[in-house]
Amino acid sequence: MSAAVFLDRDGTLILNDGDLGDPDRVELLPGVASALRSLRGAGYALVVITNQGGVARGRYDEAAVHATHARIEQVLQRDTGLSRVVDAFYFCPFHPQGTVERYRSEHPWRKPAPGMLLEAAREHA
């Protein structure tokens, strides 16, 4: 078993008070790069878990979420000097008031439910 830190994305790692599906708008919050570099240096795996109800609301699609996560990792690598920062990103595209039928529901991954945490722990020991 390895030690891990689970992190929320919006308002914790990046500046965002709502839905963000645009990689060009990724902006790290102050101190994030330094803190994550310290956690990596202490041997922790870093896992991001995030609700992305904007997918269910039709504001962006899953590809945009993946692109945004890739951009976050790129910015973190640049700002930390590390070749790998986040071990995995997990997101929940579901929302009970979504406008996109496929994603309009509650889901065991939707925080505050523990689904993403449990899946990440299982996949990453």
Side-chain angles (χ1 to χ4, degrees):
M1 180 185 299
S2 59
V5 174
F6 294 91
L7 302 154
D8 189 25
R9 189 188 90 167
D10 302 327
T12 300
L13 298 179
I14 62 171
L15 181 64
N16 182 29
D17 59 0
D19 294 320
L20 179 64
D22 181 355
D24 293 334
R25 293 184 49 217
V26 167
E27 182 181 342
L28 294 182
L29 287 168
V32 166
S34 174
L36 296 186
R37 185 175 49 246
S38 293
L39 289 168
R40 292 297 286 186
Y44 289 99
L46 301 177
V47 178
V48 174
I49 58 164
T50 179
N51 285 336
Q52 291 302 307
V55 174
R57 290 189 211 61
R59 294 184 179 149
Y60 46 87
D61 59 19
E62 288 193 50
V65 177
H66 289 293
T68 300
H69 291 166
R71 178 64 180 149
I72 291 168
E73 177 65 19
Q74 181 184 45
V75 171
L76 285 169
Q77 288 175 5
R78 179 196 71 202
D79 291 1
T80 63
L82 300 172
S83 61
R84 180 74 175 170
V85 182
V86 175
D87 293 285
F89 287 89
Y90 291 82
F91 70 95
C92 180
F94 298 93
H95 192 285
Q97 283 88 42
T99 58
V100 178
E101 181 65 30
R102 175 179 173 199
Y103 299 107
R104 185 176 46 232
S105 69
E106 267 304 340
H107 192 276
W109 276 34
R110 185 166 168 72
K111 294 184 298 176
M116 286 185 281
L117 295 167
L118 296 171
E119 183 67 16
R122 185 186 66 73
E123 288 184 357
H124 299 278

